Amino acid sequence: MSRLQEITIANHTLPNGNTHTFHFTYQVVGQPLHSAPIVLVNHALTGNSEVAGDNGWWNSLVGYDKVIDLNRYTVIAFDIPGNGYNKQQAHLIEDYKAITTKVVAEVFWKALDRLHIDHLYAIIGGSLGGSIAWEMTFIRPQAVDHLIPIATSCKASDWLIGNALIQDSILNNSSQPIEDARMHAMLLYRTPASLQQKFANGYKESESQYAIESWLKYHGQTLNGRFTLQAYKLMNHLLKTIGQEVTEESLKAFGQHTNTKIHCIAVDTDYMFTKAEQEYTVALLKDNCKHITYQEIQSIHGHDAFLIEYEQLNNLLKPLF
C-alpha cells in the first residue's frame, strides 16, 4: 500500500502577519500520480492520512473495488499540519490560535503545486475535512471538478464556536485534558436517541458505573494514547475558524465564478453541523451555481453517522465515482 511521505512548506504567511514553516505528512494510494484522475481526501478532527488499507479510517469507502476505487483513481490524503500523526515534535504547532482552516487549505494547495497537481477530480471530506474542502474550492474555484462536503459546513455556527471554546477551556485547565475534552466531544458527535439505543441505561456491576460512563472514559483514554495535547488543541481550534471570511456575498460570488459541481451531504440528526446549515448554503448557491445538489444520510446517530452509515454514504457517492 502507501508509505508516509513528508513535505515542508516554508515561510507561509499567517493571518496575523507572521510566517510559519509547516512540516507535515501525506500518503498516496491507488494509481501512480499523473496516471489517473486524482481524488483528495481530507480527514476529520481525529483522523489522519491513512484512509485506505487494513487500518484506514475510511476503508469502507476508499479501496480496491470500493466506491472510490483505487483501480481507477489516485487518492491523496494530507495530514493536517500539526495533527501529530507521525509523532514528530518538530511538526507540532505551538501557536495554534494563529492557524485557521483557510491557512490549512492554502498550505494544501501549495503542497499539491509541489507535486505538480493543478487540477483535482474531487475533494471529499467529512466534518472538519469537509470544511477544509470548501476552503480549498473557494481559493481555486476552477481547479476542482467535484466538491463533496459531508456532515460539515462552509462557516462555523455559533453553536460550534461555543463548543470549541468549552473544549479549549477543558484542554487548558483540566488535570487530564485530552480525556475530559474527548468525553465532552463524544456527546456532541452523537444524539440522545443514539446513546439510549446503544446503552439502554445499562449498568456495569464489575466497574460500578453506567455503561455510558464506561464508554465515554474508554474513548477519552484511547484518544489520550494517540494524541498529544498540543495537536488536539490545534485541531479543536480549527473548528471555530471555519469560513471566517465567508459572507453571503462572497458565497454568491463564488457560485458565479466556479465550474465545480458541488454535492452537499448532511446527516438529518447532526447537531455539530446541522442539516439546516447545509440547506441554507445550498439555497444561497443554487441560483448562482451551475451545479449543486443536497442529499441526506438518515440516522439516529447524529454527526458520527457519516462514519457509521457507510452503506447509505456509499450509495449516495456511487454515481460520482
Side-chain angles (χ1 to χ4, degrees):
M1 288 297 285
S2 68
R3 61 185 177 86
L4 203 60
Q5 301 179 74
E6 287 196 19
I7 199 161
T8 297
I9 302 298
N11 301 319
H12 185 82
T13 303
L14 304 178
N16 63 10
N18 296 337
T19 59
H20 185 85
T21 294
F22 292 94
H23 306 280
F24 56 104
T25 45
Y26 69 98
Q27 299 186 44
V28 180
V29 291
Q31 300 309 296
L33 271 180
H34 308 295
S35 70
I38 296 170
V39 178
L40 178 68
V41 177
N42 289 343
H43 68 77
L45 192 144
T46 58
N48 53 54
S49 60
E50 190 164 357
V51 296
D54 292 343
N55 299 315
W57 62 267
W58 227 3
N59 60 15
S60 59
L61 183 70
V62 183
Y64 290 97
D65 304 318
K66 304 283 179 73
V67 172
I68 300 180
D69 187 353
L70 298 183
N71 294 300
R72 296 180 57 193
Y73 295 100
T74 305
V75 172
I76 300 177
F78 293 115
D79 283 295
I80 292 175
N83 78 337
Y85 177 54
N86 64 338
K87 301 287 192 289
Q88 284 202 27
Q89 194 67 28
H91 289 206
L92 297 176
I93 297 172
E94 202 63 39
D95 185 13
Y96 65 97
K97 291 188 176 179
I99 312 300
T100 66
T101 49
K102 186 181 180 186
V103 169
V104 174
E106 291 168 345
V107 169
F108 280 4
W109 275 123
K110 284 188 175 181
L112 289 167
D113 289 343
R114 187 77 59 79
L115 297 171
H116 307 291
I117 297 164
D118 59 9
H119 193 90
L120 296 166
Y121 176 75
I123 307 181
I124 183 170
S127 193
L128 177 62
S131 299
I132 294 167
W134 271 114
E135 300 269 18
M136 291 183 71
T137 314
F138 292 150
I139 293 169
R140 296 192 188 176
Q142 305 289 335
V144 183
D145 290 342
H146 298 276
L147 168 65
I148 311 164
I150 303 166
T152 191
S153 178
C154 64
K155 189 172 181 69
S157 66
D158 291 313
W159 169 256
L160 183 60
I161 293 166
N163 274 283
L165 171 68
I166 293 168
Q167 287 277 297
D168 192 61
S169 184
I170 294 169
L171 289 168
N172 281 291
N173 295 300
S174 170
S175 60
Q176 44 180 32
I178 293 178
E179 292 181 35
D180 289 347
R182 184 62 168 173
M183 285 195 291
H184 167 253
M186 290 304 296
L187 297 178
L188 182 61
Y189 304 152
R190 299 297 176 96
T191 64
S194 171
L195 296 178
Q196 200 63 39
Q197 182 196 71
K198 187 175 181 67
F199 300 111
N201 292 104
Y203 191 83
K204 292 197 165 186
E205 295 288 351
S206 61
E207 299 176 14
S208 300
Q209 62 182 346
Y210 283 99
I212 176 64
E213 295 175 307
S214 177
W215 182 78
L216 287 171
K217 289 173 183 175
Y218 166 78
H219 276 281
Q221 290 159 2
T222 301
L223 195 75
N224 190 50
R226 67 183 186 89
F227 249 85
T228 66
L229 180 58
Q230 203 57 39
Y232 201 57
K233 284 180 180 179
L234 167 71
M235 300 304 290
N236 170 69
H237 167 74
L238 287 174
L239 292 173
K240 67 183 277 188
T241 73
I242 293 166
Q244 279 182 337
E245 298 174 17
V246 172
T247 64
E248 284 190 10
E249 289 68 33
S250 72
L251 257 183
K252 289 175 182 175
F254 161 75
Q256 289 166 352
H257 291 111
T258 188
N259 291 320
T260 301
K261 293 180 170 69
I262 303 169
H263 315 271
C264 293
I265 299 175
V267 178
D268 63 339
T269 54
D270 192 341
Y271 65 104
M272 182 171 172
F273 294 99
T274 65
K275 73 170 194 169
E277 293 170 60
Q278 289 237 45
E279 289 171 330
Y280 176 72
T281 302
V282 172
L284 262 182
L285 281 172
K286 73 177 188 322
D287 292 333
N288 301 288
C289 206
K290 290 183 180 70
H291 187 288
I292 185 164
T293 61
Y294 171 84
Q295 295 173 293
E296 268 180 26
I297 294 168
Q298 310 286 323
S299 177
I300 69 165
H301 296 303
H303 182 66
D304 268 359
F306 86 93
L307 296 170
I308 297 170
E309 310 283 2
Y310 64 88
E311 286 182 7
Q312 283 189 60
L313 181 58
N314 287 355
N315 288 332
L316 294 177
L317 293 174
K318 271 175 192 169
L320 302 179
F321 293 100

